[in-house]
Amino acid sequence: MKASVFFGPKRKLEVRTLAIDSPMANEVLVDVAASGLCHSDYHHMTGDIPHPAPAVLGHEVAGLVAAVGESVTGFKVGDHVVSCPSLFCGKCLQCVTGNTHRCESRPGRAAEAKSRLSLDGEAVHQFYALGGFAEQILVHENSLVTVSREMPLDRAAIIGCGVLTGVGAVFNSAKVHPGSKVVVIGCGGVGLSIVQAARIAGAGQIIAIDRVAEKLEIARKFGATDAFQGGDDAVAQVRELSHGGADYVFEAIGIKHLIEQGVQMLAPGGLMVMVGATRMDESVSIPVLWTLAMEWRIQGVRMGSSPFTRDIPTYASLYLQGKLDLDTMIAERIGLEDIDRGYATMLEGKHTRSVVVFDDVMKHAAAQ
Ligand SMILES: [Zn+2]
Ligand SMILES: [Zn+2]
């Protein structure tokens, strides 16, 4: 099967033909219909966060189950599935208390077993145990969830990481309450998901900040009540617009000075929600006395604090009910050979998500 292979930082991805094993035990083989370009793959493409090579990146996948291992009971051939990087064991303390996203022992293949993917006999790594930029993925069943057959699989794919992270940050991590004042810094796929979820949660004011005017327009369409291009006076602008600060500030990019600005935008008792991933060694500076006096709180978010087997189907149904707009979130559909260009376009900042689509599987799924 064909896959886009990562051979190391700052090198172009190459489409190659890989060998893929058959599913063992709890594994599922999936024909990929669609695979989203999320920013976290890009951190590895640049080398900001190290990743072993060769590897297949990509981790927002939707597709059709092609085969299952002998121990799989939750999936059958033909099921429509979405993947999630939050592979979980189901047995550790975090899992049994509903926090599968914080699983302490993610199940994998035995070290002595044959690798799932290989190129000319050499093992190929799967990013997040998925490896979605490929015609097929061979994964543990606890990386997958079924979704309704009515759900278009290209839009389902982006729920698997970006939308799950943004919407989950609002509903699970922050628990935004009706009438509250919300600031969203960064309006890419995750930030725009936060804007939409804040609207669904009944926020009274949603202030969107991004450097790109086109994204601010989309943010307004999705429910932002105010939107402006950030800058040195962003804190003052938020304080004026909100009459004293925000109850929740979400930083969805992962930039030091934006996180630091975000803290200063909080109202007394406000919550700073850090969603965007930074470089490995990044730290931020926070004014301690103000944080004490104002009782500011700080929360990190991992994969939307989501038990994904509950939340991915839930967010798919919000789409089918017309409450969560995923159509506008996808700016372009591309082929496996266009991923480098897709990331370059994303970095220009002018559009939201590019999604790799495999037309044959999309058509097959739609016909079912
Ligand atoms: Zn676990
Ligand atoms: Zn992601």
Side-chain angles (χ1 to χ4, degrees), residues 38-40 59-60 128 161-162 353:
C38 173
H39 205 265
S40 28
H59 61 280
E60 282 186 348
Y128 285 156
C161 177
R353 267 294 194 268

Side-chain angles (χ1 to χ4, degrees), residues 88-92 95 103-105:
F88 63 93
C89 74
K91 298 186 180 99
C92 73
C95 280
C103 176
E104 293 163 345
S105 93

Side-chain angles (χ1 to χ4, degrees), residues 141-314:
E141 62 176 329
N142 289 359
S143 309
L144 297 174
V145 64
T146 46
V147 289
S148 156
R149 285 175 185 237
E150 291 150 43
M151 185 67 201
L153 288 177
D154 48 359
R155 276 139 286 180
I158 64 170
I159 300 178
C161 177
V163 171
L164 187 73
T165 299
V167 177
V170 171
F171 292 154
N172 300 324
S173 319
K175 300 185 175 67
V176 167
H177 59 84
S180 55
K181 297 172 184 176
V182 173
V183 171
V184 183
I185 304 173
C187 295
V190 173
L192 289 170
S193 301
I194 295 170
V195 169
Q196 295 202 61
R199 187 201 73 237
I200 296 167
Q205 184 176 33
I206 303 169
I207 303 173
I209 305 174
D210 198 283
R211 63 191 162 91
V212 180
E214 288 92 333
K215 285 191 185 163
L216 295 175
E217 275 314 301
I218 302 176
R220 282 186 192 278
K221 181 176 175 218
F222 283 173
T225 53
D226 304 271
F228 67 89
Q229 284 168 303
D232 292 342
D233 64 345
V235 173
Q237 286 202 62
V238 165
R239 293 211 152 269
E240 191 178 322
L241 286 167
S242 62
H243 304 290
D247 301 304
Y248 305 93
V249 175
F250 294 86
E251 202 279 347
I253 312 174
I255 295 180
K256 175 184 167 71
H257 80 271
L258 296 180
I259 299 168
E260 291 170 348
Q261 276 189 334
V263 173
Q264 309 272 354
M265 293 171 183
L266 291 170
L271 179 67
M272 175 70 206
V273 190
M274 296 195 295
V275 188
T278 64
R279 293 193 331 257
M280 280 294 276
D281 56 352
E282 191 66 281
S283 309
V284 298
S285 167
I286 287 166
V288 176
L289 263 186
W290 277 104
T291 304
L292 302 183
M294 295 293 133
E295 292 204 324
W296 287 335
R297 296 165 299 137
I298 293 170
Q299 156 104 53
V301 175
R302 177 178 187 144
M303 203 53 68
S305 311
S306 289
F308 79 87
T309 56
R310 178 195 71 184
D311 287 355
I312 288 177
T314 302

